[in-house]
């Protein structure tokens, strides 16, 4: 493919801008890019340079913004992105969207072994999301070991394990401590089997109890749910999208992963059902496509969804257009709860899963049998659903009757 290496910087900026507009970059997203490009053109004009390449772009960032002194600042990352957009189009005639992703950094003495362990677990077939969790826990563990003068895998011993678990418990929730201890067991089993450590420390990792039944799910009342939906402005594309996905979470109780992954193939208009394979369990789920949900989807698809060929229904509204992420969905729910003035006490969940809990609560109030609720929520058994009974028990306190005082009658000196 012929490159654009001999194109003037003005022409390169022009064609790259057109490409970004085709990719539906928003005016807001373009503002910072355009500002950097204007400064780049001025810089090159003063220098008497009429061409562009990556080296020139990095020299511009260094001379104009002292980039190397603070490369991680938000402003400098945005400026670097503007340069990358030009170099990408120059080389490939395409503007790539570069997403900043955090690289896991294990402490140096343990880096090779921990990466080998991660590769081993990847080959065993665990999911990408689980691997990401492994990386977080092991990064913390490697940092802890280094801070406690452990410089080799063979030096790890029981006091280090217990100390790390205690340190984690002091700053994180019980669920995090539970997951951390589980990852350590798998790690130490690997180290022992690979003869990288003389002891099987997996047997000495403390047991941490974390029962789902000990937690009370966060649920909102039906009045609070109505208030949440009422504050969504459905007069614009974003509002149409948000209303449709909120309604799906509220009326059908889908998990965030399944809402984000929902495709047009999942909508069975002829049978008025939504049929999908759940991301968490892999099990098929068939739910009714209620009229209000269907109408909200049609309104969004026809008048709010960007006209792109993506399979997923719910997309980001700003460039780069693409599948919505779980954190975005969480932010949307939180935003409308706050906008509706719904109180969110400390410790109460306020993401899409709380809407799933709220549906379970409403079904319980309507005396829906537990097996039916399990089927609606996509649980494989009623054991998983039984935790929602706690919602009803707590709500029943609001309707508890006052106990009348006992009447004390004396009969022959005996109080009855």
């Amino acid at each position: 493919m012929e490159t654009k290496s001999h194109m003037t910087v003005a022409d390169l900026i022009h064609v790259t801008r057109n490409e970004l507009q085709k990719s539906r970059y928003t005016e807001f997203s373009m503002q910072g890019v355009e500002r950097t490009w204007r400064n780049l053109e001025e810089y090159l004009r003063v220098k008497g340079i009429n061409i562009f390449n990556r080296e020139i772009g990095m020299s511009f960032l260094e001379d104009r913004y002292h980039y190397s002194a603070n490369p991680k600042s938000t402003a400098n990352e945005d400026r670097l992105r503007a340069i990358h957009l030009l170099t990408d189009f120059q080389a490939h005639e395409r503007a790539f969207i570069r997403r900043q992703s955090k690289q896991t950094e294990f402490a140096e003495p343990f880096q090779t072994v921990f990466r080998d362990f991660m590769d081993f677990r990847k080959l065993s077939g665990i999911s990408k999301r689980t691997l990401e969790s492994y990386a977080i826990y092991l990064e913390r563990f490697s940092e802890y070991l280094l801070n406690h003068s452990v410089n080799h895998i063979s030096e790890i011993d029981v006091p280090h394990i217990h100390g790390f678990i205690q340190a984690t418990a002091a700053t994180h929730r019980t669920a995090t401590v539970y997951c951390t201890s589980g990852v350590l067991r798998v790690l130490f089993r690997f180290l022992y089997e690979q003869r990288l450590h003389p002891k099987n420390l997996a047997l000495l990792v403390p047991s941490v109890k974390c029962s789902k039944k000990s937690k009370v799910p966060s649920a909102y009342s039906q009045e609070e749910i109505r208030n949440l939906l009422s504050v969504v402005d459905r007069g614009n594309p974003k509002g149409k999208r948000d209303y449709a996905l909120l309604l799906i979470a509220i009326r059908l109780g889908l998990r965030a992963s399944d809402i984000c992954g929902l495709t047009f193939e999942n909508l069975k208009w002829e049978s008025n059902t939504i049929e999908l394979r759940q991301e968490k369990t892999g099990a098929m789920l068939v739910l009714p496509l209620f009229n209000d949900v269907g109408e909200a989807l049609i309104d969004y698809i026809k008048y709010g969804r960007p006209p792109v060929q993506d399979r997923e229904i719910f997309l980001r509204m700003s460039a780069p257009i693409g599948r919505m992420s779980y954190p975005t969905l969480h932010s949307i729910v939180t935003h409308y709860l706050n906008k509706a003035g719904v109180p969110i006490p400390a410790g109460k969940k306020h993401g899409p899963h709380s809407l799933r809990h709220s549906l379970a609560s409403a079904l319980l109030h309507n005396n829906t049998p537990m097996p039916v609720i399990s089927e609606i929520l996509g649980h494989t058994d009623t054991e998983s659903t039984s935790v929602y009974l706690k919602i009803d028990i707590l709500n029943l306190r609001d309707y508890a009757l006052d106990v009348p005082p006992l009447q004390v009658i004396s009969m022959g000196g005996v109080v009855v």
Side-chain angles (χ1 to χ4, degrees):
M1 180 183 292
E2 183 183 355
T3 67
K4 306 293 182 181
S5 58
H6 299 296
M7 186 178 285
T8 67
V9 68
D11 288 341
L12 179 60
I13 288 173
H14 175 72
V15 295
T16 305
R17 181 187 295 114
N18 288 343
E19 179 69 14
L20 293 178
Q21 289 171 346
K22 290 178 185 177
S23 300
R24 308 195 187 284
Y25 244 65
T26 64
E27 184 178 342
F28 178 79
S29 299
M30 287 297 296
Q31 286 176 0
V33 173
E34 294 277 14
R35 187 182 307 113
T36 301
W37 286 349
R38 285 195 299 270
N39 291 335
L40 172 64
E41 286 188 279
E42 175 64 18
Y43 170 84
L44 296 181
R45 185 186 64 78
V46 172
K47 294 281 188 180
I49 301 173
N50 199 34
I51 61 170
F52 176 81
N53 56 40
R54 185 182 184 281
E55 290 71 26
I56 292 173
M58 295 308 294
S59 296
F60 155 71
L61 292 178
E62 184 62 33
D63 293 348
R64 183 66 182 264
Y65 303 110
H66 306 292
Y67 175 81
S68 61
N70 192 11
K72 295 300 183 182
S73 73
T74 301
N76 275 341
E77 287 183 348
D78 289 344
R79 291 160 185 155
L80 179 63
R81 181 166 61 94
I83 298 301
H84 277 155
L85 288 168
L86 294 178
T87 56
D88 286 343
F89 192 86
Q90 188 179 58
H92 308 287
E93 296 190 1
R94 180 180 174 188
F96 294 103
I97 305 304
R98 296 171 182 253
R99 294 180 177 84
Q100 297 293 329
S101 58
K102 181 183 181 301
Q103 296 296 318
T104 303
E105 296 179 0
F106 303 126
E108 182 63 35
F110 316 102
Q111 194 170 101
T112 301
V113 174
F114 281 12
R115 291 202 180 281
D116 288 346
F117 169 69
M118 294 287 288
D119 290 341
F120 172 77
R121 294 301 292 154
K122 185 176 181 179
L123 290 173
S124 70
I126 66 173
S127 70
K128 180 181 177 181
R129 291 178 68 185
T130 302
L131 270 177
E132 290 171 352
S133 298
Y134 269 52
I136 292 171
Y137 302 139
L138 292 179
E139 186 175 17
R140 292 172 185 161
F141 186 45
S142 71
E143 207 53 48
Y144 176 89
L145 293 173
L146 194 63
N147 290 337
H148 287 76
S149 304
V150 179
N151 294 300
H152 193 272
I153 285 291
S154 61
E155 297 174 10
I156 302 174
D157 212 337
V158 177
H160 304 123
I161 300 171
H162 289 184
F164 177 61
I165 294 292
Q166 290 172 356
T168 303
T171 55
H172 294 82
R173 296 180 304 165
T174 304
T176 302
V177 183
Y178 173 81
C179 293
T180 299
S181 64
V183 171
L184 291 182
R185 285 192 194 92
V186 181
L187 169 68
F188 291 133
R189 195 177 303 121
F190 167 81
L191 296 178
Y192 181 70
E193 291 173 352
Q194 298 297 316
R195 299 185 179 180
L196 298 172
H197 197 286
K199 301 177 185 177
N200 185 1
L201 295 175
L203 304 173
L204 303 172
V205 177
S207 178
V208 178
K209 293 184 178 180
C210 181
S211 172
K212 289 185 177 180
K213 291 184 178 181
S214 65
K215 303 175 184 176
V216 177
S218 298
Y220 294 91
S221 69
Q222 290 306 291
E223 181 181 0
E224 290 171 329
I225 293 297
R226 284 192 293 270
N227 291 340
L228 164 68
L229 290 173
S230 70
V231 298
V232 182
D233 180 5
R234 299 166 65 188
N236 60 74
K238 182 179 184 301
K240 294 179 187 297
R241 180 202 66 182
D242 293 352
Y243 186 80
L245 62 84
L246 286 170
L247 209 55
I248 287 176
I250 290 166
R251 298 277 277 131
L252 302 179
L254 284 184
R255 298 182 181 91
S257 56
D258 292 327
I259 294 176
C260 292
L262 206 61
T263 68
F264 290 100
E265 289 80 10
N266 298 135
L267 303 180
K268 308 298 181 182
W269 298 103
E270 64 281 0
S271 59
N272 284 329
T273 57
I274 293 180
E275 302 177 12
L276 67 145
R277 188 171 296 281
Q278 300 171 89
E279 183 172 311
K280 181 176 181 179
T281 65
M284 283 299 299
L285 180 64
V286 180
L287 295 171
L289 181 54
F290 298 120
N291 288 339
D292 55 349
V293 175
E295 290 168 1
L297 280 168
I298 291 171
D299 187 37
Y300 161 62
I301 292 168
K302 290 183 66 175
Y303 305 112
R305 186 179 183 276
V308 295
Q309 299 302 313
D310 299 54
R311 293 177 63 249
E312 288 81 13
I313 296 172
F314 294 111
L315 305 175
R316 293 186 299 270
M317 303 306 296
S318 58
I321 302 298
R323 170 176 169 162
M324 182 182 291
S325 64
Y326 313 147
T328 300
L329 183 53
H330 189 283
S331 298
I332 289 170
V333 176
T334 303
H335 168 73
Y336 287 113
L337 283 171
N338 288 326
K339 188 175 181 180
V342 176
I344 307 175
K348 187 169 186 177
K349 304 294 185 183
H350 44 85
H353 220 66
S354 66
L355 301 183
R356 180 175 166 86
H357 294 163
S358 301
L359 172 63
S361 177
L363 292 171
L364 283 168
H365 277 304
N366 291 331
N367 297 317
T368 306
M370 190 63 69
V372 176
I373 298 178
S374 294
E375 187 174 350
I376 293 171
L377 297 179
H379 289 157
T380 54
D381 54 56
T382 56
E383 184 70 18
S384 300
T385 315
S386 63
V387 69
Y388 295 106
L389 284 171
K390 293 194 173 186
I391 302 174
D392 230 24
I393 293 170
L394 288 181
N395 288 335
L396 283 173
R397 293 176 182 171
D398 297 333
Y399 305 98
L401 299 175
D402 292 333
V403 179
L406 292 175
Q407 292 184 349
V408 181
I409 305 173
S410 178
M411 298 181 61
V414 179
V415 178
V416 295

